Amino acid sequence: ISIGALCSCATDGCSENQSSIPLAGFYSSETGESIALSELEVYGLGATGDSLLTQASETNKQVYLPFRSSSNNVAFCFHYAEYGDNTLYTDTIWFDYESMPYFASEECGAMYRYKITSTRHTDLLIDSVVVVEPEITNIDVERIKIYFTTD
């Protein structure tokens, strides 16, 4: 075996997902089954720029809820657009978390991971929020379940 055969170079670059963004799924509080919601707008509260994550014209079973590495909390509004622009028809979920810098590799560089420490929410149509796994990494897995009243 030659010494050159023992050395290797990482020339493939970074093929991993470099973002640690929590994925939340929608569920019925009555049945526990996954549900698809239409007429739902989800946006970040206090986010700069356009923070609309879902539009009322879309039907969604899940939504990505981006956290901020420069903060230890974030809030998202769930506006039920079928009732018009009236903000009375909006639920809010607050997440408290820890930001943890993480060095993935030379090719991928650094990223942030998050650990959810607590949640709270209003209860217009949101029945409960369950954090299945509090540590948010760059693995694309649903870690939050949002249960809606579907009666």
Side-chain angles (χ1 to χ4, degrees), residues 23-125:
L23 178 60
F26 303 148
Y27 293 85
S28 165
S29 63
E30 286 76 24
T31 67
E33 298 292 320
S34 175
I35 58 173
L37 297 175
S38 59
E39 299 298 318
L40 176 69
E41 294 176 344
V42 180
Y43 55 92
L45 186 62
T48 57
D50 182 13
S51 66
L52 189 63
L53 302 172
T54 67
Q55 296 182 8
S57 60
E58 302 170 347
T59 299
N60 295 289
K61 290 183 164 195
Q62 299 174 311
V63 65
Y64 286 98
L65 302 172
F67 287 8
R68 295 182 209 127
S69 60
S70 60
S71 179
N72 60 0
N73 56 51
V74 68
F76 297 96
C77 294
F78 291 72
H79 175 67
Y80 309 108
E82 65 188 88
Y83 300 108
D85 290 336
N86 190 336
T87 57
L88 292 175
Y89 296 101
T90 302
D91 272 317
T92 304
I93 302 175
W94 293 267
F95 292 95
D96 296 318
Y97 55 89
E98 298 171 3
S99 299
M100 302 171 289
Y102 173 75
F103 181 75
S105 68
E106 185 176 340
E107 292 84 15
C108 294
M111 67 182 76
Y112 278 90
R113 290 182 171 177
Y114 304 98
K115 183 175 183 182
I116 298 173
T117 56
S118 68
T119 64
R120 60 192 184 285
H121 62 87
T122 58
D123 58 4
L124 181 65
L125 292 180

